[in-house]
């Protein structure tokens, strides 16, 4: 358990620090106002911990560097671009709006958008629930890994 806390804690801390640095750097170039700063911090920490756990799982699963890069390159990047990071999903045709709701990244982005601007594509409670659900799923998988010893025992 200490190993997990060390790896995930270090990765999540690094992610939160990078997020804060980006926020401070953006402030130098663009004036902005965060409508819900506590929710923004909560979504930042929640997302950082969730994706750090996900990275821990992928790191154990991957046999090589190539396998390690498959998930970020072939899954996470397209989901981010198709998840409304650069546009509101309300700009999409109705069919694609419904299809986009199956993308889990939409809920992360929508939660952040709401915390910054007070508007979102998806209800903020749904965004928080989806993010917490992803965190719970990652915790369950890591728990299973430690219970069974998957890739931990030789």
């Amino acid at each position: 358990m200490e190993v997990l806390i060390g790896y995930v804690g270090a990765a999540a801390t690094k992610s939160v620090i990078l997020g804060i640095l980006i926020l401070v750097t953006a402030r130098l170039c663009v004036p902005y106002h965060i409508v819900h700063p506590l929710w923004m911090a909560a979504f930042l920490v929640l997302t950082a911990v969730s994706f750090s756990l996900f990275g821990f799982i992928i790191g154990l699963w991957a046999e090589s560097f190539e396998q390690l890069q498959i998930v970020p390159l072939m899954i996470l990047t397209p989901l981010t671009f198709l998840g409304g990071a650069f546009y509101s999903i309300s700009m999409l045709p109705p069919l694609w709006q419904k299809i986009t709701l199956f993308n889990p990244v939409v809920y992360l982005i929508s939660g952040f958008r709401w915390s910054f601007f007070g508007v979102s594509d998806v209800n903020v409670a749904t965004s928080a629930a989806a993010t917490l659900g992803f965190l719970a799923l990652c915790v369950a998988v890591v728990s299973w890994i430690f219970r069974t010893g998957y890739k931990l025992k030789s």
Side-chain angles (χ1 to χ4, degrees):
M1 192 55 88
E2 291 87 6
V3 171
L4 175 70
I5 291 170
Y7 278 118
V8 171
T13 301
K14 181 183 94 172
S15 298
V16 168
I17 289 171
L18 283 172
I20 291 170
L21 283 173
I22 290 169
L23 200 60
V24 169
T25 304
R27 182 61 148 190
L28 298 174
C29 301
V30 178
Y32 60 82
H33 175 72
I34 302 171
V35 177
H36 305 285
L38 292 177
W39 277 104
M40 187 274 303
F43 272 110
L44 178 64
V45 170
L46 202 57
T47 303
V49 171
S50 298
F51 275 97
S52 296
L53 278 168
F54 189 56
F56 185 82
I57 294 165
I58 293 168
L60 285 175
W61 166 77
E63 295 286 335
S64 65
F65 184 74
E66 289 79 19
Q67 261 189 333
L68 188 65
Q69 292 304 310
I70 286 173
V71 175
L73 219 64
M74 302 298 282
I75 297 171
L76 291 179
T77 301
L79 285 178
T80 301
F81 285 129
L82 298 172
F86 302 110
Y87 57 88
S88 171
I89 63 170
S90 64
M91 297 171 66
L92 297 172
L95 175 66
W96 285 105
Q97 286 180 22
K98 295 208 183 319
I99 292 171
T100 302
L101 293 177
F102 289 101
N103 180 351
V105 178
V106 166
Y107 301 99
L108 300 173
I109 292 168
S110 188
F112 271 112
R113 186 173 286 139
W114 175 81
S115 69
F116 274 88
F117 306 116
V119 294
S120 66
D121 293 324
V122 180
N123 184 343
V124 70
T126 306
S127 292
T131 307
L132 284 169
F134 180 62
L135 176 65
L137 177 68
C138 288
V139 167
V141 170
V142 167
S143 174
W144 174 81
I145 287 171
F146 279 104
R147 219 176 27 259
T148 62
Y150 174 75
K151 296 244 183 156
L152 297 177
K153 296 179 183 176
S154 54

